Amino acid sequence: MKSLVDTYTLANGVRIPVVGFGTWQTPAGEIAKTAVKAALTSGYRHIDTAEMYGNEQSVGEAIKESGIARQQIFLTSKLNNHAHNYQAATAAIDQSLKTLQVKYLDLFLIHWPNPKAARNANWKQHLQDTWEALEDAYKAGKIKAIGVSNFRPHHLQILAETQTIQPMVNQIRICPGDLDLKTIDYCRQNNILLEAYSPLGTGKIFTNDTLKQIAAKNQRTVAQICLRWSLQHQFLPLPKSVHENRIEENSQLFDFSLSKADMETIDQLKGIVGYAADPDTVEF
């Protein structure tokens, strides 16, 4: 890997840039537009959004205003939690296309496997029907690749009971101190690319003495160390920021490598990431 436009190849042959620019918690309007345009200026060609982020329109406007050809940008969005059945998911995909002002999405994900709105006796059927809607949108050319987010192996196994197309991506939380090895191993065994959201964890990660020491030794920032660690594990990190200097900093990942010893040290970190409980993450 030499740059932000280097790619991984998904199971269906679609090529996806190895780093994406995340827009979670990025306010709609000028903040989101400025951030996305700054990312594109810094060389990002992979933009990740979601209906529930509330900023799809701003992301779409930023892409159009950037002047960069649509086919040069890899654009991802995700299904909102209220749309877990075939009809609702189909309508949601069409709405995301309209809101983003694009004719197709490069990647579309089911955002959660078990949202509260779909937790009833038929939740497995809802999940399978929702996946069928993504498959049909893929076959219709509305989406170039399809996948999931926040899925664990047992959720993927539920899809496998009825799917005709296997998920190509699973976007999960991965950062130093937070490695779900069971899910990572399952995805790798089944040729499902792992995207790493929150690759910088929370603010606590920036005060970790081990990461600070590794950063100083490599003459890099803690953020760059975390993102490089993700890349060397063949994950696809999705850093986010609304600050142009941070956006640029997070793109500078390809002129250094972490040693085997540094990688192993980071792998062993525990308990440095804290997250607030989210009702949609409850095991189900």
Side-chain angles (χ1 to χ4, degrees), residues 27-98:
E30 286 305 313
I31 293 177
K33 289 173 63 175
T34 298
V36 170
K37 287 192 280 190
L40 293 170
T41 298
S42 291
Y44 289 86
R45 291 297 180 267
H46 177 178
I47 308 296
D48 180 276
T49 185
E51 196 280 333
M52 72 169 63
Y53 297 171
N55 58 23
E56 281 183 321
Q57 181 175 340
S58 302
V59 169
E61 290 173 354
I63 289 171
K64 290 186 71 173
E65 292 174 12
S66 74
I68 298 170
R70 169 68 185 92
Q71 62 268 25
Q72 294 180 20
I73 296 173
F74 192 100
L75 180 59
T76 300
S77 195
K78 310 178 193 73
L79 184 72
N80 206 335
N81 288 345
H82 60 69
H84 271 232
N85 61 61
Y86 184 90
Q87 292 78 12
T90 299
I93 291 166
D94 289 342
Q95 184 59 53
S96 282
L97 290 169
K98 182 178 179 181

Side-chain angles (χ1 to χ4, degrees), residues 142-153:
K142 297 177 182 179
I143 306 168
K144 302 297 184 182
I146 52 178
V148 297
S149 182
N150 299 294
F151 275 53
R152 295 179 180 176

Side-chain angles (χ1 to χ4, degrees), residues 7-268:
T7 58
Y8 296 126
T9 301
L10 300 178
N12 66 341
V14 166
R15 300 182 73 84
I16 179 171
V18 297
V19 179
F21 181 71
T23 62
W24 177 54
Q25 293 183 329
T26 300
E30 286 305 313
I31 293 177
K33 289 173 63 175
T34 298
V36 170
K37 287 192 280 190
L40 293 170
T41 298
S42 291
Y44 289 86
R45 291 297 180 267
H46 177 178
I47 308 296
D48 180 276
T49 185
E51 196 280 333
M52 72 169 63
Y53 297 171
N55 58 23
E56 281 183 321
Q57 181 175 340
S58 302
V59 169
E61 290 173 354
I63 289 171
K64 290 186 71 173
E65 292 174 12
S66 74
I68 298 170
R70 169 68 185 92
Q71 62 268 25
Q72 294 180 20
I73 296 173
F74 192 100
L75 180 59
T76 300
S77 195
K78 310 178 193 73
L79 184 72
N80 206 335
N81 288 345
H82 60 69
H84 271 232
N85 61 61
Y86 184 90
Q87 292 78 12
T90 299
I93 291 166
D94 289 342
Q95 184 59 53
S96 282
L97 290 169
K98 182 178 179 181
T99 304
L100 284 159
Q101 303 175 64
V102 295
K103 294 181 179 179
Y104 68 92
L105 284 163
D106 296 280
L107 177 64
F108 193 79
L109 310 176
I110 297 178
H111 210 147
W112 293 100
N114 57 349
K116 289 178 67 179
R119 286 184 195 160
N120 56 41
N122 297 317
W123 76 275
K124 293 182 181 181
Q125 184 68 54
H126 290 164
L127 188 57
Q128 291 167 343
D129 291 349
T130 299
W131 184 249
E132 184 182 0
L134 268 67
E135 290 183 332
D136 286 352
Y138 171 76
K139 293 171 185 176
K142 297 177 182 179
I143 306 168
K144 302 297 184 182
I146 52 178
V148 297
S149 182
N150 299 294
F151 275 53
R152 295 179 180 176
H154 67 282
H155 301 124
L156 291 161
Q157 289 161 359
I158 289 166
L159 293 189
E161 293 173 5
T162 59
Q163 69 192 21
T164 63
I165 302 170
Q166 179 177 268
M168 299 151 194
V169 169
N170 188 11
Q171 185 179 123
I172 62 174
R173 191 176 65 214
I174 303 175
C175 68
D178 190 359
L179 280 172
D180 179 355
L181 294 178
K182 182 178 179 181
T183 298
I184 289 168
D185 290 345
Y186 181 95
C187 289
R188 286 183 163 160
Q189 290 166 13
N190 288 277
N191 197 22
I192 300 171
L193 178 69
L194 288 150
E195 290 189 332
Y197 74 75
S198 295
L200 306 179
T202 62
K204 190 175 178 182
I205 208 167
F206 294 99
T207 64
N208 180 266
D209 287 339
T210 298
L211 289 172
K212 288 164 67 175
Q213 290 166 7
I214 292 173
K217 181 176 69 174
N218 286 275
Q219 297 184 304
R220 296 287 165 168
T221 66
V222 168
Q224 289 168 333
I225 295 300
C226 292
L227 294 171
R228 184 69 203 183
W229 169 85
S230 190
L231 286 170
Q232 287 184 215
H233 273 306
Q234 299 294 302
F235 304 138
L236 194 161
L238 298 163
K240 64 166 290 288
S241 180
V242 297
H243 303 291
E244 293 186 30
N245 62 325
R246 296 297 187 193
I247 292 169
E248 174 65 21
E249 173 190 309
N250 292 342
S251 72
Q252 304 302 310
L253 308 173
F254 302 94
D255 58 348
F256 77 104
S257 295
L258 294 172
S259 68
K260 180 180 179 182
D262 285 343
M263 290 291 291
E264 291 175 349
T265 297
I266 296 171
D267 288 348
Q268 296 304 311

